[in-house]
């Protein structure tokens, strides 16, 4: 009887399953029919019409734009490519008379302190309002067109201390009536590193010249802003991790160093005059930030290496801080400009780099570098770029600091990832310890 009941139960179960399968099939069939009916409904046709019509209109607009840009170029209101170098046919005015210069770009004249360098040229034919643009190169500048003064640049009235005028792009407006006139540019500076040096002249309309400068310097601006934004974001993460008992020690100092480098690049940018009111103050700040960023960086590396070389790092931090103060005091009391004392900062940076390399070499030999392998990769790349930056300063090479900033950003990202992973592992370990504690306590109570 039990066997018969089991068989009856199985039969009923199979029957119910077959009913469920059949019901599911009917439901799916009904849904398919409903979708098919909806596909050909008025609402569905309306949605498809709107979708395809919108796409068709967008394609027409794109075609219209590209055709107009490539064929109807005369419809443009402004010329953005009217720019060329005006470096030929210049002459230097000396005591011996006019000395012709074949190509004045990057020419360096032998000048004495506070001696004025005058260069002149006959202006070409001008058909519309045009501008002459050139780099002041740490000089006070006066520009004459014919017998009239067209531009005067000096920062003597806008600086708190006596120093050379900051670098700035000079724009001289020229009218069609200035065609064939003699333009004379006077350069005066007491700085030996830029005395008698001319970096060339550019000729074109205002928009073309500004476009050239923006395109030339925009990558460094973007990189500086990226460093600042990421540093602020990671610093806020450090604060949150402290609240959550996850302590990425040293990372906040790297954030501070990144902020210093970001603002250093902004203030040292070739187009800083477009977003600051006082270029002299921006230049002074950039010179000091170029040394200050070393201090939080040393604190970070010291934390990274588990304070094994703490006394050496503390010594370098104190020396760097003293050098920043001494350079600022010398600038304030006109003993020497920040540009003239830049060599002291470069020597300090060289010693710091040498010690970081030596400390990493010792850690590699003793296998301590495994503790911070991922940040060490970024640190090696950054140190290499730092060496290149110092060498460029020593040999008078120009650098936009892009390689320096990119390598620092890579080190910053790698270090952040490493520290966050360590913080998560530490938090998980704490949770596991607490769980084991309560489990053992519960077992003791049961026993």
């Amino acid at each position: 009887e039990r066997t018969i009941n089991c068989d009856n139960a199985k039969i009923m179960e199979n029957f119910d399953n077959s009913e469920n399968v059949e019901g599911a099939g009917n439901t799916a069939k009904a849904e398919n029919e409903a979708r098919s009916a909806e596909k050909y409904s008025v609402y569905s046709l309306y949605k498809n019409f709107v979708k395809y019509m919108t796409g068709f209109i967008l394609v027409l607009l794109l075609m219209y734009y590209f055709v107009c840009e490539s064929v109807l170029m005369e419809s443009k209101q402004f010329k953005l490519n009217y720019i060329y170098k005006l470096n030929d046919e210049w002459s230097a005015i000396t005591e011996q008379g006019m000395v012709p210069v074949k190509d004045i770009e990057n020419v360096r004249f032998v000048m004495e302190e506070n001696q004025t360098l005058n260069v002149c040229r006959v202006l070409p034919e001008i058909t519309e309002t045009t501008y002459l643009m050139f780099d002041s190169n740490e000089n006070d500048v006066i520009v004459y067109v014919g017998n009239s003064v067209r531009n005067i640049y000096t920062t003597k009235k806008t600086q708190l201390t006596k120093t050379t005028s900051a670098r700035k792009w000079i724009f001289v407006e020229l009218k069609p009536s200035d065609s064939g006139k003699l333009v004379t540019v006077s350069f005066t500076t007491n700085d030996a590193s830029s005395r008698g040096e001319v970096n060339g002249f550019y000729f074109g309309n205002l928009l073309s010249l500004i476009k050239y400068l923006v395109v030339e310097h925009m990558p460094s601006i973007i990189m500086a802003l990226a460093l600042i934004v990421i540093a602020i974001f990671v610093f806020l993460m450090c604060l949150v991790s402290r609240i959550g008992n996850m302590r990425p020690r040293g990372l906040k100092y790297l954030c501070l160093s990144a902020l210093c480098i970001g603002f250093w690049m902004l203030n040292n940018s070739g187009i800083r005059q477009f977003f600051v009111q006082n270029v002299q103050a921006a230049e002074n700040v950039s010179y000091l930030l170029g040394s200050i960023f070393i201090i939080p960086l040393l604190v970070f590396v010291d934390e990274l290496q588990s304070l094994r070389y703490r006394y050496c790092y503390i010594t370098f931090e104190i020396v760097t801080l003293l050098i920043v103060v001494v350079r600022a005091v010398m600038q304030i009391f006109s003993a020497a400009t920040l540009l003239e004392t830049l060599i002291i900062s470069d020597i300090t940076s060289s010693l710091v780099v040498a010690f970081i390399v030596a400390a990493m070499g010792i850690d590699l030999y003793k296998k301590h570098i495994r503790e911070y392998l991922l940040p060490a990769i970024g640190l090696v790349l950054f140190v290499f770029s730092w060496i290149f930056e110092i060498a460029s300063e020593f040999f008078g090479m120009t650098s936009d600091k892009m390689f320096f900033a990119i390598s620092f950003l890579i080190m910053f990202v790698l270090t952040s990832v490493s520290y966050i992973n360590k913080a998560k592992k530490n938090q998980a370990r704490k949770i596991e310890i607490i769980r084991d504690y309560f489990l053992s306590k519960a077992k003791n109570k049961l026993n």
Side-chain angles (χ1 to χ4, degrees):
E1 184 180 353
R2 186 177 297 170
T3 305
I4 293 170
N5 288 336
C6 289
D7 292 339
N8 290 335
K10 287 181 179 179
I11 291 168
M12 291 301 294
E13 185 180 353
N14 292 333
F15 179 75
D16 292 339
N17 290 337
S18 64
E19 280 188 346
N20 291 335
V21 171
E22 185 178 356
N26 292 333
T27 303
K29 185 177 180 181
E31 289 179 357
N32 290 333
E33 289 177 354
R35 288 175 183 171
S36 179
E38 185 183 355
K39 184 177 180 181
Y40 296 103
S41 65
V42 175
Y43 177 69
S44 178
L45 291 174
Y46 167 74
K47 284 200 304 183
N48 290 333
F49 172 76
V50 171
K51 180 172 63 176
Y52 291 119
M53 196 65 188
T54 304
F56 179 69
I57 292 173
L58 288 174
V59 170
L60 284 180
L61 286 175
L62 287 173
M63 290 175 62
Y64 168 76
Y65 174 78
F66 285 116
V67 168
C68 291
E69 279 294 307
S70 58
V71 178
L72 303 176
M73 294 179 64
E74 68 274 9
S75 63
K76 288 184 178 180
Q77 186 177 358
F78 304 109
K79 296 178 182 178
L80 292 177
N81 296 313
Y82 178 45
I83 178 174
Y84 60 91
K85 293 184 177 182
L86 195 69
N87 294 323
D88 57 342
E89 300 181 9
W90 286 86
S91 299
I93 303 175
T94 64
E95 296 178 354
Q96 290 76 25
M98 304 279 284
V99 179
V101 181
K102 185 177 181 180
D103 187 353
I104 202 168
E105 186 175 14
N106 297 325
V107 170
R108 192 179 191 95
F109 298 90
V110 178
M111 306 290 295
E112 297 179 1
E113 187 175 354
N114 291 324
Q115 185 179 358
T116 299
L117 170 65
N118 296 305
V119 294
C120 61
R121 186 195 194 279
V122 175
L123 289 172
E125 183 181 357
I126 302 171
T127 58
E128 59 184 5
T129 301
T130 311
Y131 285 80
L132 181 69
M133 181 184 76
F134 59 94
D135 183 8
S136 69
N137 196 23
E138 309 283 350
N139 283 265
D140 292 337
V141 176
I142 303 177
V143 182
Y144 303 87
V145 177
N147 295 322
S148 63
V149 178
R150 290 294 176 87
N151 202 328
I152 298 176
Y153 170 66
T154 181
T155 61
K156 291 179 180 178
K157 296 181 180 180
T158 57
Q159 56 184 315
L160 298 176
T161 59
K162 184 180 179 181
T163 183
T164 56
S165 295
R167 296 187 72 160
K168 184 179 179 180
W169 288 99
I170 309 298
F171 294 85
V172 182
E173 185 178 4
L174 301 172
K175 301 289 186 180
S177 58
D178 295 323
S179 298
K181 290 184 178 180
L182 187 70
V183 57
T184 305
V185 183
S186 298
F187 297 94
T188 306
T189 184
N190 58 357
D191 178 57
S193 62
S194 57
R195 189 184 306 140
E197 186 177 0
V198 181
N199 292 335
F201 295 87
Y202 296 87
F203 190 76
N205 62 33
L206 185 60
L207 286 177
S208 298
L209 295 171
I210 292 176
K211 175 193 171 184
Y212 168 77
L213 292 178
V214 170
V215 171
E216 189 77 13
H217 298 282
M218 187 52 67
S220 62
I221 296 293
I222 294 174
M223 184 57 62
L225 293 175
L227 275 175
I228 292 170
V229 171
I230 295 175
I232 294 173
F233 175 74
V234 174
F235 185 78
L236 293 176
M237 285 188 63
C238 288
L239 295 181
V240 173
S241 66
R242 267 186 171 276
I243 295 171
N245 294 324
M246 295 186 298
R247 300 180 61 189
R249 298 182 64 183
L251 191 56
K252 57 183 177 294
Y253 298 106
L254 189 63
C255 294
L256 183 58
S257 184
L259 286 174
C260 291
I261 292 175
F263 285 110
W264 173 31
M265 291 181 66
L266 284 178
N267 286 296
N268 199 45
S269 168
I271 55 174
R272 63 190 172 195
Q273 67 192 78
F274 298 141
F275 50 84
V276 298
Q277 294 294 325
N278 193 321
V279 291
Q280 187 66 59
E283 184 172 89
N284 292 340
V285 168
S286 70
Y287 281 132
L288 293 177
L289 286 176
S291 298
I292 292 173
F293 87 91
I294 299 174
I295 300 172
L297 180 67
L298 288 174
V299 178
F300 158 73
V301 178
D302 191 18
E303 293 277 356
L304 196 65
Q305 295 174 342
S306 302
L307 306 178
R308 284 186 290 272
Y309 316 102
R310 65 175 73 88
Y311 297 113
C312 295
Y313 281 117
I314 289 172
T315 302
F316 278 114
E317 290 160 17
I318 294 173
V319 169
T320 304
L321 183 60
L322 288 175
I323 287 175
V324 170
V325 173
V326 168
R327 291 181 66 201
V329 170
M330 292 178 71
Q331 167 82 17
I332 291 171
F333 290 98
S334 302
T337 65
L338 290 172
L339 181 61
E340 291 171 344
T341 57
L342 185 62
I343 185 67
I344 303 175
S345 179
D346 291 337
I347 293 172
T348 307
S349 299
S350 302
L351 295 175
V352 168
V353 168
F355 181 77
I356 291 175
V357 171
M360 291 184 69
I362 295 171
D363 282 355
L364 181 63
Y365 177 74
K366 295 184 177 181
K367 299 182 180 180
H368 292 311
I369 206 165
R370 295 176 181 176
E371 301 170 5
Y372 58 99
L373 184 59
L374 197 60
I377 296 172
L379 187 58
V380 168
L381 180 63
F382 174 67
V383 166
F384 179 75
S385 69
W386 200 357
I387 293 172
F388 175 79
E389 191 68 29
I390 295 171
S392 66
E393 291 283 352
F394 273 120
F395 294 103
M397 300 164 56
T398 57
S399 171
D400 59 359
K401 297 176 176 58
M402 279 297 293
F403 180 41
F404 182 80
I406 291 172
S407 62
F408 186 91
L409 185 60
I410 293 172
M411 179 185 69
F412 195 15
V413 173
L414 291 176
T415 304
S416 300
V417 171
S418 174
Y419 271 58
I420 291 169
N421 289 337
K422 284 183 180 179
K424 287 181 178 180
K425 289 179 181 178
N426 292 337
Q427 188 72 2
R429 194 178 298 113
K430 289 179 182 178
I431 293 172
E432 187 177 351
I433 292 171
I434 293 170
R435 184 191 63 189
D436 292 341
Y437 170 77
F438 282 108
L439 286 175
S440 63
K441 197 172 182 181
K443 286 180 181 180
N444 292 332
K445 285 184 178 181
L446 290 174
N447 294 332

